[in-house]
Amino acid sequence: MWAKTARLIVRYRIAIIIALLGFTSVMLYQATGVRLMYGLPQMLPEDSQTIIDWRSFQDQFKEESTVFAIGIEKDLFHDVDVFNEWYKLGRSLTEVEGVDTVLSIGSAFNIIKDTSIKEFVIDPVVKRPVKSQDELDLLRSRYESLPFYKGLLYNAENNYSLMAISMNNDRFNSTDRTEFFGEVLSKVEAFEQDNNVKIRYSGMPYIRENLSSLVKKELGTLLLLTVIITIIILLVFFRSIKPVLISMTVVSLGVVWSLGLLNTLGFEITILTSLISPLVIVIGIPNCIYLINKFHSELNLHGNRAKALTRVVSRIGSATFMTNATTATGFLTFVFTESILLVEFGIVAFFSIMSLFVLSILVITITYSFLPVPREDKTAHVEKRWVLNLVSFFTHLVQSRRPLVYSVTVIVVIISVFGLLQIETSGNIVDDLPKNHKTVEDLHWFEQNFGGVVPFEIKVDAKKPKQITKSSILKKIEETQDLFKEDDSFSKSISIVDALKFIKQAFYNGNPERYELITSREKAFFGEYVENSSTDQSLLTAYLDSTEQYARISLQVADIGTLEMDSLLAYYFPKIDAIFNPKRAKQDSLLLIVTSNEDSSVSDSIARYILKRNSPAKRVFSSLYLEDDSIAKFDLDSVQFANNERTIGLLNAALNESYMGVSITGPSITFLEGTNYLVKNLFVSLSLAILIVALLMAFVFSSLRMIIISVVTNLIPLLFTAAIMGYFGINIKPSTILVFSIAFGISVDDTIHYLAKYRQELRLTNNDIGLSVKLALKETGVSMVYTSIILFFGFGVFSSSDFGGTQALGVLVSLTLMVAMFANLILLPSFLMSFEKAMLTRWFKEPFFTLLDEEEDLELDDLDFEKEENNTL
């Protein structure tokens, strides 16, 4: 089949060239439209409860703005000039299109009571630039009398201040975000320079903008470095410009196709998909090396270009296809994670790598069919002495020092297992940025002075409309806020309680001692003010939904790791739930007795006691039990609970419905859950990759024993990598979980090439295992060494990244593939030599599917490209 494929490629090469140029033009046009992702990457599937909760929260509280925070390391209340400039800065930023509001000590407002119209009205604290220090001191006293702003806009301990700039999401998440953000930053930076002060920048929009900018920079930088390193190494290997140009043509087309596919599928460039273009180059070059090396080897044997090209396609075409398929499969398994971030990466990477096979076969075969036969000195690289000496050394180890090979392997495995046990799972939003990056430093400054900038939201569900403003529930919200006051990981919390306290203080003419919750009796006194005023309503609606069934408590949390966040949630959530549902603990203990007590009468009586003491639960239970809302005919005493799964299930549902709902959401939670989700699915995707690759090899080699030793050989490098991560404190996180699937998919390529050649040699040597192992090493060893060096330095380029995760990915994959080379050139042949006849199953010798075409070269000596070309004209 592959011999016929080679002849068809040559016969229709002009038509194929035209088709390739046409398709590449389409993909190039598509590639020009590819866009960066401006939002946070979504790591969780759409049906995840965490995502559902966050979407619901955004809908209920109309989250339309994103807050960018700037902080100033200066006491503004002791510098009239700087305070006035800060005031003017806030006013100028409100004029920028896309900025909704600006809140700072220069633009804050007070609420005052207008008795003439019985309304609460907004009164700016600062109405104009101050003229003297006395006026500024008076202004400071006014702020100190407004507890609402304490810890929110300024830090009373060191007098640092911040400015919160709310940005409209429609513009911030658009293609002109960089221009918009640049307009805001230019004003702030001008203020910083003019006043010689230190400004700190943070907030989710700032972090996202920096990450997006770095991704954009990375795409170009990594691509350029990969190209340069690859060209240098190819020149060193081939000592000829033609193989280099041909190889770079193949991978350049692959890059264009991958970017075009990205846009065609409607995907955006993320921190992961930005790696696909460099990956295409690094993974595509080994294809070219195997094919060109085979072409040059054949020319050295017989000098017939037609026969050489036909054998290139026929003898290693299937092997190249299989190696690309196994590598692509390693990426495709990410589809099963259902994480949008990984699914998009996996799909594009799969098709990009498979397209490399098509491009390498077509471009190399067609190009060399036009070019003159290379001179003998241009094909001498296949006989390089240092490579041959290295392969000879490997052969010596396999034939004479196998006990040493196995001893070293056992030691490596034992040490690796201990390292594996030390790996931890962790990550935070800026984890991949350098520790000395300004974004990270500024984030830590905000965490130290204002408690963090990552949104952390608590949603309270009263279960019925118009219930959330009841005094009893407001007290519970206030008690919940008090939980976080002493925790430095959190900023000051804001809720409807703070808004109502602010309004009460206004009703009592700004008396700070009246900054407290409104009592039920007080509501009657100024209820008319609330009804008439729009001021307090706008303040309340930010923390209260339109049905008055849901309320939010807004905090910002420090960018702590996922392990710390897990502990934090485990500590706070039970405490919060106990505040809103104090009866839950007692009722749960009683419910446990109902389900576990052997005395049915005791179980029934306790279940009835629970419902009789909980009227809302009883109503829900009756409607569920009767399957309608008719309570009149419901007789609780007749219901049997003991050993009755239905009634116990209904009891559970009724109790849960009677409790107030409490949930914690926000970007901090979605990131935490996303990280945990990806890590959990890492093992699923890796297991699937191993399984699928094993099935592919079973299809090719039809030998269970051969599959086992192949998989074991390639698992050892992964174990080694895991050990490196454990010993050097490299955590498993979203940016490093790619290491194992990428490394396994690529390392198994060498196994396929070697075993395919080994099986072919077995036939030619009449099943002489020792000679077959030696010949297979000599034939494939040179290409394996070349490709391993290319891959080592190619992935090593990733270590120049500004992202810690990408750096780790580059270093770890490079090390893994280098270890995989030694495993495939030393350990795998050693297994074959040691087990000898056990490996020679009938199915392995007589495969259903042949990787290397061993049929005779019929009529190849007479094949003339000039004749083929004339036939196409």
Side-chain angles (χ1 to χ4, degrees):
M1 180 190 80
W2 290 98
K4 293 179 181 178
T5 301
R7 294 175 68 89
L8 288 173
I9 292 173
V10 173
R11 179 168 298 166
Y12 298 105
R13 53 188 172 171
I14 301 299
I16 292 173
I17 291 174
I18 294 173
L20 284 177
L21 289 175
F23 185 75
T24 301
S25 298
V26 173
M27 287 293 101
L28 183 61
Y29 174 76
Q30 288 291 329
T32 59
V34 70
R35 299 180 304 168
L36 282 171
M37 173 178 279
Y38 290 108
L40 283 174
Q42 184 173 317
M43 295 180 284
L44 290 168
E46 283 292 340
D47 59 354
S48 164
Q49 189 59 49
T50 302
I51 291 295
I52 293 172
D53 288 345
W54 177 232
R55 297 272 191 269
S56 172
F57 177 88
Q58 291 175 308
D59 290 340
Q60 288 164 346
F61 296 100
K62 308 301 179 186
E63 285 285 289
E64 297 177 350
S65 295
T66 306
V67 179
F68 166 44
I70 60 174
I72 181 171
E73 293 186 358
K74 188 175 183 64
D75 185 354
L76 293 175
F77 290 113
H78 281 86
D79 193 316
V80 174
D81 293 334
V82 176
F83 180 89
N84 286 333
E85 291 300 318
W86 185 253
Y87 166 76
K88 293 176 183 177
L89 173 64
R91 293 177 66 87
S92 68
L93 288 174
T94 59
E95 299 172 359
V96 177
E97 182 183 355
V99 172
D100 288 341
T101 58
V102 175
L103 185 62
S104 72
I105 60 174
S107 59
F109 61 87
N110 190 12
I111 300 176
I112 61 174
K113 178 180 64 173
D114 189 333
T115 57
S116 63
I117 57 175
K118 292 191 176 182
E119 281 189 9
F120 291 117
V121 295
I122 289 289
D123 180 40
V125 177
V126 184
K127 297 179 175 62
R128 55 174 176 72
V130 297
K131 298 179 179 179
S132 65
Q133 185 61 46
D134 291 339
E135 190 175 341
L136 192 55
D137 291 341
L138 181 62
L139 189 61
R140 179 171 191 161
S141 299
R142 290 189 65 188
Y143 270 108
E144 290 175 349
S145 69
L146 297 174
F148 182 83
Y149 294 113
K150 186 177 181 180
L152 185 65
L153 297 180
Y154 65 95
N155 185 322
E157 294 180 3
N158 52 33
N159 296 312
Y160 291 161
S161 300
L162 66 78
M163 181 181 293
I165 306 166
S166 295
M167 299 177 167
N168 186 274
N169 273 340
D170 290 338
R171 188 171 186 206
F172 183 76
N173 291 327
S174 66
T175 54
D176 64 342
R177 178 170 88 180
T178 301
E179 178 184 351
F180 162 57
F181 211 81
E183 188 177 353
V184 172
L185 286 179
S186 64
K187 292 179 178 292
V188 179
E189 289 168 357
F191 166 84
E192 182 178 20
Q193 294 174 4
D194 293 344
N195 294 279
N196 193 28
V197 294
K198 180 71 173 178
I199 294 293
R200 300 288 187 170
Y201 304 86
S202 200
M204 292 303 295
Y206 181 74
I207 294 171
R208 286 163 55 187
E209 173 61 18
N210 274 279
L211 289 174
S212 296
S213 298
L214 282 174
V215 167
K216 187 176 181 179
K217 175 187 173 185
E218 292 271 283
L219 180 61
T221 303
L222 289 181
L223 195 58
L224 179 62
L225 287 175
T226 304
V227 168
I228 293 173
I229 292 294
T230 303
I231 289 175
I232 292 173
I233 297 175
L234 287 175
L235 283 173
V236 171
F237 285 166
F238 289 116
R239 299 295 177 90
S240 173
I241 193 64
K242 288 180 182 177
V244 176
L245 291 177
I246 293 170
S247 300
M248 295 312 298
T249 299
V250 171
V251 295
S252 296
L253 291 175
V255 169
V256 172
W257 287 18
S258 66
L259 291 175
L261 178 64
L262 196 67
N263 188 49
T264 301
L265 295 175
F267 300 159
E268 296 175 318
I269 296 178
T270 65
I271 191 172
L272 291 187
T273 53
S274 67
L275 300 177
I276 289 179
S277 295
L279 282 173
V280 165
I281 296 176
V282 174
I283 295 173
I285 290 299
N287 281 0
C288 302
I289 290 177
Y290 272 109
L291 294 170
I292 294 174
N293 268 354
K294 181 62 178 177
F295 175 65
H296 288 167
S297 297
E298 290 292 332
L299 285 179
N300 288 345
L301 286 176
H302 49 71
N304 187 313
R305 178 179 59 173
K307 181 186 291 186
L309 283 177
T310 305
R311 284 183 172 178
V312 165
V313 178
S314 64
R315 293 198 167 180
I316 62 173
S318 293
T320 305
F321 172 78
M322 284 300 300
T323 56
N324 280 260
T326 54
T327 302
T329 297
F331 292 106
L332 189 62
T333 53
F334 289 128
V335 172
F336 297 100
T337 65
E338 297 184 13
S339 165
I340 294 177
L341 183 69
L342 285 181
V343 167
E344 292 181 357
F345 174 79
I347 291 174
V348 177
F350 173 80
F351 285 108
S352 297
I353 292 170
M354 292 309 299
S355 68
L356 284 172
F357 165 74
V358 176
L359 285 169
S360 57
I361 290 290
L362 294 179
V363 172
I364 290 174
T365 304
I366 291 174
T367 303
Y368 275 115
S369 73
F370 282 110
L371 294 175
V373 176
R375 299 194 311 269
E376 185 175 344
D377 63 312
K378 300 299 183 183
T379 62
H381 63 88
V382 296
E383 300 292 338
K384 280 187 180 293
R385 182 169 298 277
W386 73 269
V387 179
L388 296 178
N389 289 341
L390 182 61
V391 173
S392 296
F393 174 69
F394 292 156
T395 305
H396 169 71
L397 291 177
V398 170
Q399 292 182 326
S400 306
R401 306 299 297 272
R402 288 197 298 279
L404 175 62
V405 171
Y406 296 142
S407 298
V408 172
T409 301
V410 170
I411 292 173
V412 169
V413 169
I414 293 174
I415 294 175
S416 297
V417 169
F418 281 106
L420 172 65
L421 298 176
Q422 298 181 44
I423 294 183
E424 293 184 351
T425 300
S426 186
N428 50 35
I429 292 175
V430 297
D431 194 40
D432 288 330
L433 291 175
K435 301 303 180 186
N436 60 350
H437 195 279
K438 188 178 187 306
T439 303
V440 179
E441 292 179 349
D442 286 359
L443 176 64
H444 291 161
W445 182 88
F446 273 93
E447 290 173 351
Q448 292 169 7
N449 293 285
F450 295 97
V453 296
V454 183
F456 183 95
E457 303 281 355
I458 302 171
K459 186 175 78 171
V460 180
D461 179 4
K463 292 297 177 78
K464 286 184 179 181
K466 304 294 182 181
Q467 297 295 305
I468 206 73
T469 54
K470 291 175 62 176
S471 296
S472 59
I473 295 179
L474 293 175
K475 288 178 181 178
K476 294 178 187 293
I477 293 175
E478 183 181 37
E479 188 178 348
T480 300
Q481 290 182 258
D482 290 340
L483 282 176
F484 296 93
K485 282 186 176 179
E486 303 302 321
D487 194 329
D488 294 336
S489 297
F490 290 93
S491 68
K492 178 181 178 179
S493 62
I494 299 291
S495 75
I496 182 180
V497 168
D498 299 280
L500 291 173
K501 286 180 178 180
F502 203 169
I503 292 169
K504 179 175 178 177
Q505 181 182 358
F507 183 79
Y508 286 101
N509 302 315
N511 184 354
E513 295 182 1
R514 292 292 190 168
Y515 186 77
E516 57 189 8
L517 263 178
I518 299 171
T519 65
S520 299
R521 206 173 69 173
E522 286 173 326
K523 285 182 181 179
F525 290 127
F526 55 87
E528 189 175 359
Y529 283 85
V530 175
E531 292 175 2
N532 294 338
S533 177
S534 60
T535 298
D536 59 297
Q537 294 299 325
S538 62
L539 187 62
L540 295 178
T541 52
Y543 304 100
L544 185 70
D545 84 312
S546 58
T547 67
E548 297 186 19
Q549 177 176 330
Y550 301 95
R552 66 189 281 196
I553 303 173
S554 294
L555 305 95
Q556 280 74 46
V557 66
D559 186 29
I560 57 180
T562 52
L563 288 176
E564 293 86 346
M565 183 64 79
D566 269 329
S567 301
L568 183 147
L569 290 176
Y571 174 78
Y572 277 111
F573 187 80
K575 291 181 176 293
I576 297 171
D577 186 67
I579 290 173
F580 287 98
N581 300 297
K583 295 181 180 180
R584 188 195 292 269
K586 179 180 179 181
Q587 291 182 343
D588 282 351
S589 63
L590 292 175
L591 193 60
L592 181 62
I593 297 175
V594 173
T595 57
S596 61
N597 199 288
E598 296 181 358
D599 190 333
S600 59
S601 61
V602 172
S603 296
D604 287 343
S605 62
I606 292 177
R608 291 166 190 152
Y609 169 80
I610 294 173
L611 290 175
K612 289 177 180 178
R613 296 295 297 270
N614 191 329
S615 298
K618 182 180 178 181
R619 283 194 296 270
V620 174
F621 181 85
S622 64
S623 63
L624 293 173
Y625 183 77
L626 299 174
E627 298 181 354
D628 60 34
D629 295 328
S630 176
I631 302 177
K633 59 182 179 180
F634 175 67
D635 182 10
L636 179 59
D637 293 332
S638 65
V639 180
Q640 301 297 316
F641 291 92
N643 302 318
N644 190 320
E645 292 185 5
R646 178 177 180 269
T647 53
I648 290 178
L650 296 180
L651 177 59
N652 264 308
L655 287 175
N656 287 330
E657 187 63 27
S658 70
Y659 298 138
M660 289 188 64
V662 179
S663 61
I664 300 177
T665 187
S668 54
I669 306 302
T670 57
F671 184 84
L672 163 70
E673 294 297 329
T675 300
N676 292 337
Y677 180 86
L678 290 185
V679 171
K680 180 179 69 175
N681 281 274
L682 159 68
F683 302 102
V684 175
S685 62
L686 181 59
S687 301
L688 283 171
I690 294 171
L691 177 61
I692 294 173
V693 168
L695 292 175
L696 289 173
M697 295 182 73
F699 179 68
V700 173
F701 296 117
S702 303
S703 169
L704 179 61
R705 297 166 187 170
M706 199 65 69
I707 293 168
I708 291 173
I709 67 167
S710 300
V711 171
V712 169
T713 299
N714 287 283
L715 285 181
I716 290 175
L718 300 187
L719 192 61
F720 175 82
T721 301
I724 294 294
M725 295 178 70
Y727 287 126
F728 288 90
I730 303 174
N731 294 333
I732 292 181
K733 52 189 176 182
S735 54
T736 58
I737 62 174
L738 299 176
V739 171
F740 300 100
S741 293
I742 291 176
F744 181 79
I746 297 176
S747 65
V748 80
D749 293 355
D750 287 343
T751 304
I752 292 174
H753 275 291
Y754 181 80
L755 289 180
K757 184 61 183 175
Y758 169 67
R759 186 173 64 190
Q760 185 187 50
E761 295 297 340
L762 282 174
R763 285 194 168 193
L764 299 176
T765 61
N766 196 24
N767 295 333
D768 186 327
I769 295 176
L771 183 58
S772 298
V773 167
K774 181 178 179 180
L775 292 175
L777 273 174
K778 183 178 179 181
E779 173 75 20
T780 61
V782 173
S783 294
M784 289 167 72
V785 170
Y786 280 4
T787 56
S788 295
I789 293 175
I790 286 280
L791 290 168
F792 179 83
F793 285 102
F795 278 103
V797 166
F798 289 7
S799 63
S800 65
S801 168
D802 288 326
F803 289 105
T806 307
Q807 293 174 0
L809 176 69
V811 172
L812 293 173
V813 173
S814 296
L815 290 175
T816 306
L817 294 178
M818 193 54 64
V819 174
M821 180 193 75
F822 291 113
N824 281 299
L825 287 176
I826 301 175
L827 185 60
L828 178 60
S830 297
F831 282 147
L832 296 176
M833 292 285 288
S834 296
F835 292 105
E836 295 187 354
K837 299 297 181 181
M839 292 291 104
L840 294 183
T841 64
R842 178 172 65 88
W843 298 110
F844 183 75
K845 291 185 289 183
E846 300 176 8
F848 172 75
F849 180 81
T850 304
L851 275 181
L852 299 184
D853 195 342
E854 294 136 3
E855 61 187 53
E856 295 297 324
D857 298 315
L858 299 177
E859 302 178 358
L860 291 179
D861 290 322
D862 299 325
L863 183 63
D864 182 34
F865 282 122
E866 284 70 23
K867 292 180 182 179
E868 291 289 341
E869 185 175 1
N870 291 332
N871 289 337
T872 62
L873 298 178

